[in-house]
mmCIF file of all heavy atoms in Angstrom:
data_model
loop_
_atom_site.group_PDB
_atom_site.id
_atom_site.type_symbol
_atom_site.label_atom_id
_atom_site.label_comp_id
_atom_site.label_asym_id
_atom_site.label_seq_id
_atom_site.Cartn_x
_atom_site.Cartn_y
_atom_site.Cartn_z
ATOM 1 N N ALA A 1 0.832 -1.205 0.000
ATOM 2 C CA ALA A 1 0.000 0.000 0.000
ATOM 3 C C ALA A 1 0.864 1.251 0.000
ATOM 4 O O ALA A 1 0.598 2.218 -0.728
ATOM 5 C CB ALA A 1 -0.929 -0.013 1.209
ATOM 6 N N LEU A 2 1.918 1.260 0.835
ATOM 7 C CA LEU A 2 2.812 2.419 0.875
ATOM 8 C C LEU A 2 3.557 2.592 -0.448
ATOM 9 O O LEU A 2 3.931 3.709 -0.822
ATOM 10 C CB LEU A 2 3.810 2.265 2.028
ATOM 11 C CG LEU A 2 3.208 2.320 3.440
ATOM 12 C CD1 LEU A 2 4.277 2.042 4.479
ATOM 13 C CD2 LEU A 2 2.557 3.669 3.690
ATOM 14 N N THR A 3 3.773 1.493 -1.166
ATOM 15 C CA THR A 3 4.423 1.582 -2.475
ATOM 16 C C THR A 3 3.466 2.142 -3.529
ATOM 17 O O THR A 3 3.876 2.886 -4.426
ATOM 18 C CB THR A 3 4.905 0.181 -2.906
ATOM 19 O OG1 THR A 3 5.807 -0.316 -1.934
ATOM 20 C CG2 THR A 3 5.595 0.235 -4.256
ATOM 21 N N THR A 4 2.200 1.795 -3.385
ATOM 22 C CA THR A 4 1.209 2.228 -4.378
ATOM 23 C C THR A 4 0.868 3.704 -4.259
ATOM 24 O O THR A 4 0.673 4.394 -5.263
ATOM 25 C CB THR A 4 -0.064 1.390 -4.220
ATOM 26 O OG1 THR A 4 0.274 0.013 -4.378
ATOM 27 C CG2 THR A 4 -1.118 1.790 -5.237
ATOM 28 N N VAL A 5 0.815 4.193 -3.013
ATOM 29 C CA VAL A 5 0.381 5.572 -2.787
ATOM 30 C C VAL A 5 1.236 6.594 -3.547
ATOM 31 O O VAL A 5 0.698 7.436 -4.275
ATOM 32 C CB VAL A 5 0.335 5.882 -1.282
ATOM 33 C CG1 VAL A 5 0.149 7.388 -1.052
ATOM 34 C CG2 VAL A 5 -0.787 5.115 -0.625
ATOM 35 N N PRO A 6 2.575 6.575 -3.435
ATOM 36 C CA PRO A 6 3.369 7.566 -4.177
ATOM 37 C C PRO A 6 3.184 7.449 -5.698
ATOM 38 O O PRO A 6 3.128 8.467 -6.398
ATOM 39 C CB PRO A 6 4.810 7.259 -3.766
ATOM 40 C CG PRO A 6 4.702 6.522 -2.481
ATOM 41 C CD PRO A 6 3.444 5.742 -2.582
ATOM 42 N N ALA A 7 3.108 6.203 -6.194
ATOM 43 C CA ALA A 7 2.934 6.033 -7.644
ATOM 44 C C ALA A 7 1.621 6.641 -8.111
ATOM 45 O O ALA A 7 1.564 7.314 -9.152
ATOM 46 C CB ALA A 7 3.013 4.551 -8.003
ATOM 47 N N LEU A 8 0.544 6.418 -7.349
ATOM 48 C CA LEU A 8 -0.738 6.998 -7.735
ATOM 49 C C LEU A 8 -0.701 8.520 -7.683
ATOM 50 O O LEU A 8 -1.249 9.202 -8.550
ATOM 51 C CB LEU A 8 -1.845 6.470 -6.820
ATOM 52 C CG LEU A 8 -2.275 5.022 -7.050
ATOM 53 C CD1 LEU A 8 -3.324 4.611 -6.026
ATOM 54 C CD2 LEU A 8 -2.820 4.835 -8.459
ATOM 55 N N LEU A 9 -0.059 9.065 -6.654
ATOM 56 C CA LEU A 9 0.053 10.525 -6.554
ATOM 57 C C LEU A 9 0.818 11.097 -7.742
ATOM 58 O O LEU A 9 0.406 12.101 -8.346
ATOM 59 C CB LEU A 9 0.739 10.912 -5.240
ATOM 60 C CG LEU A 9 -0.133 10.877 -3.988
ATOM 61 C CD1 LEU A 9 0.716 11.124 -2.745
ATOM 62 C CD2 LEU A 9 -1.247 11.909 -4.078
ATOM 63 N N VAL A 10 1.934 10.457 -8.086
ATOM 64 C CA VAL A 10 2.728 10.937 -9.221
ATOM 65 C C VAL A 10 1.925 10.804 -10.518
ATOM 66 O O VAL A 10 1.932 11.703 -11.373
ATOM 67 C CB VAL A 10 4.053 10.155 -9.319
ATOM 68 C CG1 VAL A 10 4.776 10.492 -10.621
ATOM 69 C CG2 VAL A 10 4.941 10.482 -8.131
ATOM 70 N N ALA A 11 1.204 9.685 -10.661
ATOM 71 C CA ALA A 11 0.394 9.495 -11.882
ATOM 72 C C ALA A 11 -0.671 10.577 -12.000
ATOM 73 O O ALA A 11 -0.904 11.119 -13.087
ATOM 74 C CB ALA A 11 -0.254 8.113 -11.861
ATOM 75 N N VAL A 12 -1.319 10.910 -10.880
ATOM 76 C CA VAL A 12 -2.352 11.946 -10.922
ATOM 77 C C VAL A 12 -1.729 13.309 -11.206
ATOM 78 O O VAL A 12 -2.280 14.114 -11.971
ATOM 79 C CB VAL A 12 -3.129 11.961 -9.592
ATOM 80 C CG1 VAL A 12 -4.041 13.184 -9.520
ATOM 81 C CG2 VAL A 12 -3.958 10.691 -9.459
ATOM 82 N N ILE A 13 -0.569 13.572 -10.598
ATOM 83 C CA ILE A 13 0.115 14.853 -10.859
ATOM 84 C C ILE A 13 0.476 14.967 -12.339
ATOM 85 O O ILE A 13 0.269 16.018 -12.967
ATOM 86 C CB ILE A 13 1.368 14.980 -9.982
ATOM 87 C CG1 ILE A 13 0.968 15.148 -8.502
ATOM 88 C CG2 ILE A 13 2.228 16.161 -10.417
ATOM 89 C CD1 ILE A 13 2.129 15.084 -7.548
ATOM 90 N N MET A 14 1.003 13.887 -12.920
ATOM 91 C CA MET A 14 1.352 13.917 -14.332
ATOM 92 C C MET A 14 0.108 14.062 -15.203
ATOM 93 O O MET A 14 0.120 14.786 -16.206
ATOM 94 C CB MET A 14 2.105 12.635 -14.709
ATOM 95 C CG MET A 14 3.483 12.518 -14.072
ATOM 96 S SD MET A 14 4.555 13.899 -14.527
ATOM 97 C CE MET A 14 4.657 13.684 -16.295
ATOM 98 N N SER A 15 -0.979 13.371 -14.815
ATOM 99 C CA SER A 15 -2.222 13.500 -15.575
ATOM 100 C C SER A 15 -2.746 14.931 -15.512
ATOM 101 O O SER A 15 -3.185 15.488 -16.522
ATOM 102 C CB SER A 15 -3.259 12.528 -15.024
ATOM 103 O OG SER A 15 -4.492 12.676 -15.683
ATOM 104 N N GLU A 16 -2.680 15.521 -14.318
ATOM 105 C CA GLU A 16 -3.128 16.910 -14.166
ATOM 106 C C GLU A 16 -2.255 17.850 -14.991
ATOM 107 O O GLU A 16 -2.740 18.795 -15.619
ATOM 108 C CB GLU A 16 -3.081 17.293 -12.690
ATOM 109 C CG GLU A 16 -3.812 18.575 -12.350
ATOM 110 C CD GLU A 16 -3.934 18.789 -10.860
ATOM 111 O OE1 GLU A 16 -3.380 17.960 -10.087
ATOM 112 O OE2 GLU A 16 -4.570 19.757 -10.451
ATOM 113 N N ARG A 17 -0.959 17.582 -14.986
ATOM 114 C CA ARG A 17 -0.036 18.414 -15.768
ATOM 115 C C ARG A 17 -0.323 18.281 -17.256
ATOM 116 O O ARG A 17 -0.314 19.279 -17.995
ATOM 117 C CB ARG A 17 1.400 18.002 -15.469
ATOM 118 C CG ARG A 17 2.450 18.802 -16.214
ATOM 119 C CD ARG A 17 3.844 18.443 -15.712
ATOM 120 N NE ARG A 17 4.867 19.156 -16.454
ATOM 121 C CZ ARG A 17 5.440 18.685 -17.554
ATOM 122 N NH1 ARG A 17 5.080 17.498 -18.023
ATOM 123 N NH2 ARG A 17 6.361 19.375 -18.192
ATOM 124 N N ARG A 18 -0.603 17.056 -17.714
ATOM 125 C CA ARG A 18 -0.921 16.871 -19.130
ATOM 126 C C ARG A 18 -2.207 17.612 -19.502
ATOM 127 O O ARG A 18 -2.302 18.202 -20.584
ATOM 128 C CB ARG A 18 -1.077 15.377 -19.451
ATOM 129 C CG ARG A 18 0.229 14.588 -19.429
ATOM 130 C CD ARG A 18 0.026 13.209 -20.023
ATOM 131 N NE ARG A 18 1.210 12.390 -19.862
ATOM 132 C CZ ARG A 18 1.336 11.430 -18.949
ATOM 133 N NH1 ARG A 18 0.343 11.179 -18.123
ATOM 134 N NH2 ARG A 18 2.446 10.725 -18.854
ATOM 135 N N ARG A 19 -3.190 17.573 -18.605
ATOM 136 C CA ARG A 19 -4.437 18.293 -18.892
ATOM 137 C C ARG A 19 -4.194 19.793 -18.961
ATOM 138 O O ARG A 19 -4.747 20.483 -19.817
ATOM 139 C CB ARG A 19 -5.479 17.993 -17.814
ATOM 140 C CG ARG A 19 -6.086 16.610 -17.903
ATOM 141 C CD ARG A 19 -7.382 16.537 -17.111
ATOM 142 N NE ARG A 19 -7.193 16.979 -15.736
ATOM 143 C CZ ARG A 19 -6.781 16.208 -14.736
ATOM 144 N NH1 ARG A 19 -6.504 14.937 -14.973
ATOM 145 N NH2 ARG A 19 -6.653 16.681 -13.516
ATOM 146 N N GLU A 20 -3.369 20.304 -18.032
ATOM 147 C CA GLU A 20 -3.082 21.736 -18.047
ATOM 148 C C GLU A 20 -2.326 22.124 -19.311
ATOM 149 O O GLU A 20 -2.616 23.160 -19.928
ATOM 150 C CB GLU A 20 -2.283 22.122 -16.807
ATOM 151 C CG GLU A 20 -3.088 22.020 -15.510
ATOM 152 C CD GLU A 20 -2.230 22.275 -14.287
ATOM 153 O OE1 GLU A 20 -0.991 22.384 -14.457
ATOM 154 O OE2 GLU A 20 -2.783 22.350 -13.174
ATOM 155 N N LEU A 21 -1.351 21.288 -19.700
ATOM 156 C CA LEU A 21 -0.614 21.577 -20.931
ATOM 157 C C LEU A 21 -1.531 21.492 -22.148
ATOM 158 O O LEU A 21 -1.424 22.311 -23.072
ATOM 159 C CB LEU A 21 0.561 20.602 -21.084
ATOM 160 C CG LEU A 21 1.709 20.764 -20.085
ATOM 161 C CD1 LEU A 21 2.743 19.659 -20.290
ATOM 162 C CD2 LEU A 21 2.365 22.127 -20.241
ATOM 163 N N ALA A 22 -2.425 20.496 -22.136
ATOM 164 C CA ALA A 22 -3.369 20.382 -23.242
ATOM 165 C C ALA A 22 -4.302 21.586 -23.286
ATOM 166 O O ALA A 22 -4.624 22.098 -24.361
ATOM 167 C CB ALA A 22 -4.180 19.085 -23.108
ATOM 168 N N ALA A 23 -4.726 22.050 -22.088
ATOM 169 C CA ALA A 23 -5.586 23.231 -22.047
ATOM 170 C C ALA A 23 -4.845 24.455 -22.562
ATOM 171 O O ALA A 23 -5.400 25.273 -23.306
ATOM 172 C CB ALA A 23 -6.082 23.458 -20.621
ATOM 173 N N LEU A 24 -3.570 24.584 -22.151
ATOM 174 C CA LEU A 24 -2.769 25.702 -22.650
ATOM 175 C C LEU A 24 -2.603 25.620 -24.164
ATOM 176 O O LEU A 24 -2.667 26.637 -24.864
ATOM 177 C CB LEU A 24 -1.394 25.711 -21.965
ATOM 178 C CG LEU A 24 -1.362 26.149 -20.500
ATOM 179 C CD1 LEU A 24 0.033 25.973 -19.933
ATOM 180 C CD2 LEU A 24 -1.803 27.603 -20.373
ATOM 181 N N ASP A 25 -2.378 24.388 -24.646
ATOM 182 C CA ASP A 25 -2.225 24.214 -26.090
ATOM 183 C C ASP A 25 -3.513 24.569 -26.829
ATOM 184 O O ASP A 25 -3.482 25.224 -27.870
ATOM 185 C CB ASP A 25 -1.825 22.766 -26.378
ATOM 186 C CG ASP A 25 -1.568 22.528 -27.854
ATOM 187 O OD1 ASP A 25 -0.670 23.177 -28.412
ATOM 188 O OD2 ASP A 25 -2.270 21.692 -28.456
ATOM 189 N N ARG A 26 -4.660 24.149 -26.266
ATOM 190 C CA ARG A 26 -5.939 24.501 -26.894
ATOM 191 C C ARG A 26 -6.160 26.009 -26.862
ATOM 192 O O ARG A 26 -6.623 26.593 -27.851
ATOM 193 C CB ARG A 26 -7.089 23.782 -26.182
ATOM 194 C CG ARG A 26 -7.159 22.293 -26.448
ATOM 195 C CD ARG A 26 -8.492 21.726 -25.990
ATOM 196 N NE ARG A 26 -8.682 21.910 -24.555
ATOM 197 C CZ ARG A 26 -8.308 21.036 -23.633
ATOM 198 N NH1 ARG A 26 -7.700 19.912 -23.994
ATOM 199 N NH2 ARG A 26 -8.530 21.257 -22.357
ATOM 200 N N ASP A 27 -5.819 26.631 -25.714
ATOM 201 C CA ASP A 27 -5.986 28.088 -25.629
ATOM 202 C C ASP A 27 -5.079 28.792 -26.636
ATOM 203 O O ASP A 27 -5.486 29.775 -27.272
ATOM 204 C CB ASP A 27 -5.671 28.578 -24.214
ATOM 205 C CG ASP A 27 -6.729 28.141 -23.210
ATOM 206 O OD1 ASP A 27 -7.828 27.768 -23.651
ATOM 207 O OD2 ASP A 27 -6.441 28.155 -22.003
ATOM 208 N N ALA A 28 -3.836 28.280 -26.754
ATOM 209 C CA ALA A 28 -2.913 28.886 -27.710
ATOM 210 C C ALA A 28 -3.430 28.718 -29.140
ATOM 211 O O ALA A 28 -3.332 29.640 -29.961
ATOM 212 C CB ALA A 28 -1.526 28.251 -27.568
ATOM 213 N N GLN A 29 -4.002 27.533 -29.442
ATOM 214 C CA GLN A 29 -4.560 27.318 -30.776
ATOM 215 C C GLN A 29 -5.747 28.234 -31.024
ATOM 216 O O GLN A 29 -5.880 28.813 -32.107
ATOM 217 C CB GLN A 29 -4.972 25.859 -30.930
ATOM 218 C CG GLN A 29 -3.802 24.894 -31.063
ATOM 219 C CD GLN A 29 -4.264 23.470 -31.273
ATOM 220 O OE1 GLN A 29 -5.450 23.152 -31.135
ATOM 221 N NE2 GLN A 29 -3.338 22.584 -31.596
ATOM 222 N N ARG A 30 -6.617 28.363 -30.004
ATOM 223 C CA ARG A 30 -7.769 29.258 -30.171
ATOM 224 C C ARG A 30 -7.307 30.688 -30.400
ATOM 225 O O ARG A 30 -7.844 31.405 -31.248
ATOM 226 C CB ARG A 30 -8.666 29.175 -28.936
ATOM 227 C CG ARG A 30 -9.364 27.838 -28.748
ATOM 228 C CD ARG A 30 -10.386 27.915 -27.644
ATOM 229 N NE ARG A 30 -10.957 26.603 -27.335
ATOM 230 C CZ ARG A 30 -10.700 25.927 -26.223
ATOM 231 N NH1 ARG A 30 -9.903 26.439 -25.313
ATOM 232 N NH2 ARG A 30 -11.244 24.745 -26.011
ATOM 233 N N LEU A 31 -6.296 31.108 -29.597
ATOM 234 C CA LEU A 31 -5.778 32.464 -29.767
ATOM 235 C C LEU A 31 -5.166 32.636 -31.144
ATOM 236 O O LEU A 31 -5.376 33.657 -31.818
ATOM 237 C CB LEU A 31 -4.739 32.767 -28.688
ATOM 238 C CG LEU A 31 -4.049 34.132 -28.768
ATOM 239 C CD1 LEU A 31 -5.071 35.259 -28.664
ATOM 240 C CD2 LEU A 31 -2.992 34.270 -27.680
#
């Protein structure tokens, strides 16, 4: 369980970062 927790946190952080980058990319394309 202690091994899984950090991996899940990192995965969610990376997923959130990808969404933010994708949102920035979409905003840049719209602009």
